Amino acid sequence: MENAVKGNRLRWIALVLLMVPMFASYFFDDMFSTLSQIFQHPEALELGWNSADYGFYAGGYSFLCVCGGLIICGVLLDLFGVRIIGSVFVGLMALGAGTVFFALRSGLDPRSSLTMAYVGCMLFGLGSEIAGVAVTRSIAKWFKGSNVAFAMGAQVAVARLGTAAAFILAPMLVRIKPEGEIYSLAETSRPALVGLALILLGVLLWGIFVAMDKRFDSERGIAGGKGKVKDEDKFRFSDIFKLLVNPRFIMISLLCVFFYCCIISFKKFGTAIVIPRFGLDIESAKWVITMIPFFTVVFTPLFGALVDRVGKATLWMGIGSLMVLAAHLALRFAPQGVPFWGYFSIAVLGVGYSLVPSAMWPSVPKIVPEKNLGTAYSLIYWIQNMGMLTVPIFVGRIFNNATGVAAANRAELIFIGLGIAATLVAAFLKASSRKHPELGLDDKNRR
């Protein structure tokens, strides 16, 4: 009994240690989201970037991921384990963030600083995504058979607090100036400095988790500890092809890319959309967009607990996708200049953003063997990053070629299309689960 209590306590300590690197990653990734409108006036930036440049930079996060980095690194994660490969990529996340910060402060001409920042964002993105896979896989291991959806939901909630912190702090760190005044390099790089400091703290706490995880394996005789790997549990490259012909795995992957692009790519330009559409000032727009992560902080753990106890994961994925689609329809077609519709749309978006991940991520271990989870999550993230690479580029070009309501409306058409696709995939996944109840996709997670 005493050992069980101790093990349960250590499980939650490990979860806290895993949360901080992801909090820092989300902060750094979203550090310019509530400042996106300043790139519409490059003449006021010593940095010299315009909206297209910002969209290009934001897409850099996914470049190495899409070019195969995620798949290769996911395989390495299964071959060599979370502790070794996870540590390498947590370190790469820090290296990339440091490169971006240096680019923003370097004083190089706009093309050169953008190129350097893009390279840094590529390194940061690959490091962050593999670190996320390592964190998700670690939670699946530490919480197997016990509140796994709640634990994953709590981790996602804290990570999105990083987004909320970035949304709130960035406009404080880079105060909006009257027309005609210039934003210095020191000012525009302040969010990156704060984000880099948080990432370095995350690296330190990850190191503590690695020591705990090594002891966890040793005490349970898991491979990497005192035990030996059974032949049937060894990773084989043929396992990758088994994933790629698994219909449920493909559907979850497609849902992931369509759903997350509706929100993650939207956040990059959120203030530039809601300000002209609903007549909000910059301060109000900041708080409207910040509702997205705040809603997820509250609802993601609650929905995770619901999935653990009730099951029906595919139903919740469908409802969440419908809510995100409805939110983007309102953002595009609600009466212009009425602030209520801005708040209402983002509230619906935030709840939908909480519901789908709470059900989706804990479903992966039900259809994939534990030995392949690193590869499985990496493949999902790889497909997701295809959208995250391209969507910000297209939206950035829209804002570079148009302004005001016209640009916001055109951008929203992209997100509506993605929302429709996500809803259709969720419906197919629900139908597949009904035909194959033996997979347990809609079963409860708690034993």
Side-chain angles (χ1 to χ4, degrees), residues 102-443:
F102 180 80
L104 295 173
R105 286 293 292 267
S106 64
L108 295 171
D109 63 271
R111 294 302 96 191
S112 298
S113 66
L114 179 61
T115 300
M116 182 181 292
Y118 189 83
V119 171
C121 195
M122 288 192 303
L123 298 175
F124 167 76
L126 182 61
S128 181
E129 290 295 293
I130 294 297
V133 174
V135 165
T136 304
R137 184 176 177 185
S138 297
I139 293 173
K141 180 177 80 173
W142 279 69
F143 285 85
K144 187 176 181 179
S146 176
N147 298 310
V148 65
F150 175 79
M152 287 187 178
Q155 183 273 312
V156 169
V158 172
R160 290 176 184 167
L161 267 179
T163 291
F167 285 177
I168 295 170
L169 290 178
M172 297 179 181
L173 296 169
V174 186
R175 294 194 177 277
I176 303 302
K177 294 189 173 187
E179 187 175 346
E181 292 191 23
I182 302 296
Y183 295 90
S184 69
L185 295 175
E187 289 173 306
T188 51
S189 64
R190 283 174 191 162
L193 178 60
V194 174
L196 179 59
L198 289 170
I199 287 172
L200 293 176
L201 174 62
V203 171
L204 175 62
L205 296 184
W206 171 264
I208 297 172
F209 167 76
V210 166
M212 288 182 62
D213 191 65
K214 184 176 181 180
R215 185 173 180 180
F216 179 95
D217 283 358
S218 180
E219 290 177 350
R220 287 158 181 78
I222 299 174
K226 297 176 181 178
K228 294 183 179 180
V229 184
K230 297 179 181 178
D231 185 65
E232 65 268 23
D233 290 334
K234 291 180 180 178
F235 175 84
R236 295 179 175 85
F237 284 96
S238 60
D239 293 334
I240 299 174
F241 299 102
K242 292 178 182 178
L243 290 173
L244 294 176
V245 296
N246 183 329
R248 267 66 59 187
F249 177 79
I250 294 300
M251 283 186 274
I252 287 178
S253 300
L254 291 175
L255 174 61
C256 182
V257 64
F258 295 137
F259 177 81
Y260 274 95
C261 283
C262 282
I263 299 161
I264 294 176
S265 298
F266 168 79
K267 289 188 300 181
K268 302 291 183 186
F269 300 91
T271 54
I273 290 173
V274 299
I275 287 173
R277 278 288 290 123
F278 303 110
L280 300 170
D281 58 33
I282 293 173
E283 185 68 16
S284 298
K286 175 188 76 175
W287 287 106
V288 168
I289 300 302
T290 304
M291 288 170 60
I292 298 174
F294 274 142
F295 268 69
T296 63
V297 168
V298 174
F299 289 109
T300 303
L302 293 178
F303 290 147
L306 178 68
V307 173
D308 281 331
R309 288 167 171 75
V310 177
K312 302 188 182 299
T314 58
L315 173 64
W316 308 127
M317 288 185 235
I319 293 173
S321 298
L322 274 172
M323 293 182 73
V324 168
L325 173 59
H328 281 296
L329 286 169
L331 285 166
R332 170 60 180 84
F333 295 108
Q336 183 179 333
V338 182
F340 166 79
W341 290 109
Y343 286 96
F344 175 79
S345 302
I346 298 301
V348 174
L349 192 72
V351 176
Y353 190 26
S354 306
L355 194 48
V356 172
S358 300
M360 181 173 64
W361 295 120
S363 296
V364 178
K366 294 182 178 180
I367 60 173
V368 175
E370 186 173 349
K371 63 174 180 172
N372 301 134
L373 279 178
T375 302
Y377 282 122
S378 295
L379 279 168
I380 294 171
Y381 285 13
W382 176 60
I383 295 170
Q384 172 189 327
N385 274 272
M386 290 183 184
M388 291 170 60
L389 172 67
T390 54
V391 173
I393 294 174
F394 285 114
V395 177
R397 288 177 179 174
I398 287 173
F399 279 99
N400 203 47
N401 295 326
T403 58
V405 175
N409 286 342
R410 291 177 197 172
E412 273 304 319
L413 292 177
I414 293 177
F415 297 122
I416 289 170
L418 291 167
I420 292 171
T423 303
L424 289 174
V425 172
F428 288 133
L429 184 61
K430 176 65 179 173
S432 179
S433 177
R434 192 179 294 119
K435 290 180 182 178
H436 299 277
E438 74 278 3
L439 296 173
L441 269 175
D442 287 316
D443 291 349

